[in-house]
Amino acid sequence: MISCPMPVSGYDRVVLGHGSGGRLSAELIQRVFLPALGNDILGALEDQATLPAIAGRIAVTTDAYVVRPIFFPGGDIGSLAVHGTVNDLAVGGAVPLHLTAAFILEEGLLLTDLERIVQSMRHACQACNIHVVAADTKVVERGKGDQIYITTTGVGLVPDGRVLSVHAAQPGDRIILSGTLGDHGIAVLSCREGLEFETKLASDSAPIIKLVEVLLAAAPRTRCMRDPTRGGLSSALHEIAAASGIGVELDESAIPIRDEVRGACEMLGLDPLYVANEGKLVAIVPEDEAQHTLAALRAHPQGQDAAIVGRVLAAPRGLVTLRSRIGGTRIVPLLAGEQLPRIC
Amino acid sequence: MISCPMPVSGYDRVVLGHGSGGRLSAELIQRVFLPALGNDILGALEDQATLPAIAGRIAVTTDAYVVRPIFFPGGDIGSLAVHGTVNDLAVGGAVPLHLTAAFILEEGLLLTDLERIVQSMRHACQACNIHVVAADTKVVERGKGDQIYITTTGVGLVPDGRVLSVHAAQPGDRIILSGTLGDHGIAVLSCREGLEFETKLASDSAPIIKLVEVLLAAAPRTRCMRDPTRGGLSSALHEIAAASGIGVELDESAIPIRDEVRGACEMLGLDPLYVANEGKLVAIVPEDEAQHTLAALRAHPQGQDAAIVGRVLAAPRGLVTLRSRIGGTRIVPLLAGEQLPRIC
């Protein structure tokens, strides 16, 4: 990367040369990336970012974002790539510190679209009090990508004494969900080519850092947390059930779902339990901490619809079941394949 | 991610469901990723890796790898994705500690190819004494990717007192190159569709961690280092010249280039100064440390062809020039666009 000022070459779309490591790469950095994401560390343009000293346990997470379309109601691939990775740190109890971003651009991407996405990352980073400290851009030929893919990696600090583990759920624990299910997945689907339908729904894409702090303050013995993204609440609970060797029983009538999501799911033949969320938190908390934790979450603007949606059972181990409104119980299977491809 | 053992579903190619976050995702993790890359941290299958305590400055770097073809003489996209990121840490003076990997797979990728790539990452990680501590997999439809893209992010520890900066080059400094130029780029081109030509050349893709340690031990006042990858030696020196506000003069007769690379470059109309390397080191060292550092590098198996290839001048600032074999001097321009797309 180059730090000398460069003239703009007048391209309005990404060309292969923008990934060359030469003058066009430098122009892209100067014109698009640094104005939005620049900070002292990224601006140093070294091959690696050297960061202030850390004392303690760090947490690291990485995710590739391939959501289609790249702009959707309530967000875009840029904000999603920040929120998703920050949230993965947060549910591990880590305080997000730094972010890296690697871009794979398809030749022909509009530079105005790239600028919009990078600006969106900037705002998301500001809201999370985090900086992009290292970045990379590659360009692939037309038909070898899909406009833009972004991989973000987050580095966070785990406060001393904080131990959360997917292996730690115990019979009797309660399952707290911070809000409505399925908003992100249905909002993205609503604007997907060939599938457009009218809805006022927006993605719930948002950082859940503050919600996590509220929860951990109210329930210091929280066993574990997840953000129920790809695969939805079902996948998150299956992971916990399998890892902890316990059963999970959901109470259908307690699960908050917006009317628009319920309607769209019926129309599309989807189960909201499997639809992705990008600003929700599911936590396993001891029974004696559940009620006041629920009250604390509900007092937070992002937690108004929070609910205790189920409990942990000693058996059947590894299974997720749903007690329906009319009293029956059914198994919630682990989804085999893809219900909603490229939702994040 | 799921930790319970799963049957193999009998797919021989990647399908969209492998990116679902459901059962097929879990199978891919159990069958392909964990056997190759598994360790205590990755095996915990949390949404984030919590790592042992660190005390000191950490360095972070990220790169997306989109090399085509994915297998080439001397390496593949898997080993490259490890070496490239580890080397970016090493040239910053950091000791590599942890790696994350995010995979974007194209529907239809042969699972045997994926296994081969992941095994190659395993061996590269072992050679670098580093582990993959967090990973992610997404699948995109046929025609929306190109078999496999990998983004790796590296976290390293910067020893106390070690300060290297692209801004630190000073007039009189010498430029040391650790070996021959252009091996990686030409080896990849030699097997690229439509361009195959016969050569015994292999990519130089390799970790340069040990070479860096040899260099820093011999030249403790080293100003900065680079691994001359995309954009080649020219781009690396242009970055330094621009950032340090100095000129760089190369001595053509001193630059080590293999006959096969020279021949291929003549045939293809390429300049070896711009061709990518993936196991080389270029360093700016004070004049009084240059000669014994060269000797130290040459005593290392990876540095046998090391050479002092040029020097830093006070002017012209920001320019890279080449003193030719016949005595003339020409400007080495910063490449505008793409000489060799998708070389890393």
Side-chain angles (χ1 to χ4, degrees), chain A residues 66-240:
Chain A
V66 300
V67 66
R68 182 173 55 90
I70 55 177
F71 301 103
F72 48 81
D76 57 51
I77 192 170
S79 53
L80 187 67
V82 176
H83 296 153
T85 293
V86 161
N87 289 349
D88 275 346
L89 287 176
V91 296
V95 179
L97 291 180
H98 306 292
L99 200 70
T100 70
F103 299 85
I104 297 175
L105 309 180
E106 186 191 11
E107 184 186 12
L109 174 68
L110 280 170
L111 283 178
T112 48
D113 281 350
L114 179 60
E115 279 169 343
R116 191 174 151 198
I117 288 163
V118 175
Q119 285 293 341
S120 168
M121 293 182 77
R122 171 202 186 90
H123 293 130
C125 283
Q126 284 171 340
C128 299
N129 196 23
I130 194 169
H131 290 289
V132 173
V133 293
D136 180 50
T137 304
K138 295 293 186 328
V139 180
V140 297
E141 305 89 334
R142 251 176 231 271
K144 300 296 184 187
D146 197 4
Q147 297 183 286
I148 179 169
Y149 299 141
I150 305 176
T151 295
T152 50
T153 304
V155 178
L157 187 67
V158 184
D160 276 346
R162 196 173 273 187
V163 180
L164 297 158
S165 168
V166 71
H167 302 276
Q170 295 174 24
D173 289 348
R174 293 300 189 261
I175 297 154
I176 298 185
L177 177 64
S178 68
T180 55
L181 274 195
D183 300 10
H184 174 72
I186 298 301
V188 170
L189 279 188
S190 75
C191 58
R192 194 169 278 183
E193 210 179 328
L195 203 72
E196 295 93 338
F197 55 90
E198 217 167 315
T199 172
K200 285 181 195 148
L201 195 70
S203 166
D204 57 348
S205 179
I208 55 170
I209 305 171
K210 286 174 186 160
L211 219 45
V212 163
E213 294 304 326
V214 168
L215 183 120
L216 290 179
R221 282 158 50 233
T222 295
R223 316 299 189 193
C224 66
M225 298 179 279
R226 277 287 189 272
D227 55 330
T229 56
R230 178 173 54 163
L233 181 64
S234 164
S235 283
L237 293 177
H238 271 280
E239 287 177 45
I240 296 166

Side-chain angles (χ1 to χ4, degrees), chain B:
Chain B
M1 297 202 283
I2 304 294
S3 62
C4 57
M6 290 284 170
V8 171
S9 290
Y11 289 100
D12 62 350
R13 289 179 183 272
V14 167
V15 298
L16 284 174
H18 284 124
S20 64
R23 188 165 55 79
L24 286 177
S25 291
E27 282 183 26
L28 195 68
I29 291 165
Q30 294 296 331
R31 172 176 161 186
V32 177
F33 290 107
L34 282 186
L37 302 177
N39 54 71
D40 288 351
I41 297 168
L42 191 65
L45 298 172
E46 301 280 354
D47 277 354
Q48 71 300 117
T50 301
L51 305 168
I54 286 181
R57 289 177 302 154
I58 63 169
V60 179
T61 187
T62 194
D63 265 301
Y65 296 86
V66 300
V67 66
R68 180 173 56 91
I70 55 177
F71 300 104
F72 49 80
D76 57 51
I77 192 171
S79 54
L80 187 66
V82 175
H83 296 152
T85 294
V86 162
N87 289 350
D88 275 346
L89 288 176
V91 296
V95 178
L97 291 179
H98 306 293
L99 201 70
T100 69
F103 299 85
I104 297 176
L105 308 181
E106 186 192 12
E107 185 186 12
L109 174 68
L110 280 170
L111 283 177
T112 48
D113 282 349
L114 180 60
E115 279 170 344
R116 192 175 150 197
I117 288 163
V118 175
Q119 285 294 339
S120 168
M121 294 182 79
R122 171 204 186 89
H123 293 130
C125 284
Q126 285 172 339
C128 299
N129 196 24
I130 195 170
H131 290 289
V132 173
V133 295
D136 180 51
T137 304
K138 295 293 186 331
V139 180
V140 296
E141 305 89 334
R142 249 176 233 271
K144 300 295 184 187
D146 197 1
Q147 296 183 286
I148 179 170
Y149 298 142
I150 306 176
T151 295
T152 50
T153 304
V155 178
L157 187 66
V158 184
D160 276 347
R162 195 173 274 186
V163 180
L164 297 158
S165 167
V166 73
H167 302 274
Q170 295 174 24
D173 290 348
R174 294 300 189 262
I175 296 154
I176 299 185
L177 177 65
S178 68
T180 56
L181 274 195
D183 301 10
H184 174 73
I186 299 300
V188 169
L189 280 189
S190 75
C191 58
R192 193 169 278 182
E193 211 180 328
L195 202 73
E196 296 93 338
F197 54 90
E198 217 168 312
T199 172
K200 284 179 193 149
L201 195 70
S203 166
D204 57 348
S205 179
I208 55 170
I209 305 171
K210 286 174 187 160
L211 219 45
V212 164
E213 293 304 324
V214 168
L215 183 121
L216 290 178
R221 283 158 49 232
T222 294
R223 316 299 190 193
C224 65
M225 298 179 280
R226 277 288 190 272
D227 55 330
T229 57
R230 178 173 53 162
L233 181 64
S234 163
S235 283
L237 293 177
H238 271 281
E239 288 177 45
I240 296 166
S244 293
I246 48 84
V248 168
E249 185 187 63
L250 289 171
D251 176 1
E252 186 178 23
S253 63
I255 300 173
I257 300 176
R258 287 184 204 281
D259 289 342
E260 299 95 314
V261 171
R262 199 181 299 280
C265 280
E266 282 173 13
M267 186 175 77
L268 298 168
L270 298 173
D271 183 336
L273 291 178
Y274 297 95
V275 180
N277 313 276
E278 292 290 348
K280 295 301 181 329
L281 171 65
V282 57
I284 312 290
V285 300
E287 182 183 1
D288 61 351
E289 292 184 345
Q291 283 301 335
H292 68 266
T293 301
L294 180 65
L297 285 175
R298 284 186 170 167
H300 188 277
Q302 280 182 280
Q304 288 172 14
D305 298 316
I308 296 175
V309 298
R311 58 192 177 129
V312 174
L313 305 177
R317 291 156 64 102
L319 272 198
V320 178
T321 54
L322 181 82
R323 198 152 32 80
S324 77
R325 287 169 199 279
I326 53 168
T329 297
R330 69 169 174 89
I331 289 176
V332 178
L334 178 60
L335 206 65
E338 188 76 83
Q339 193 188 29
L340 303 174
R342 297 183 55 191
I343 210 71
C344 62

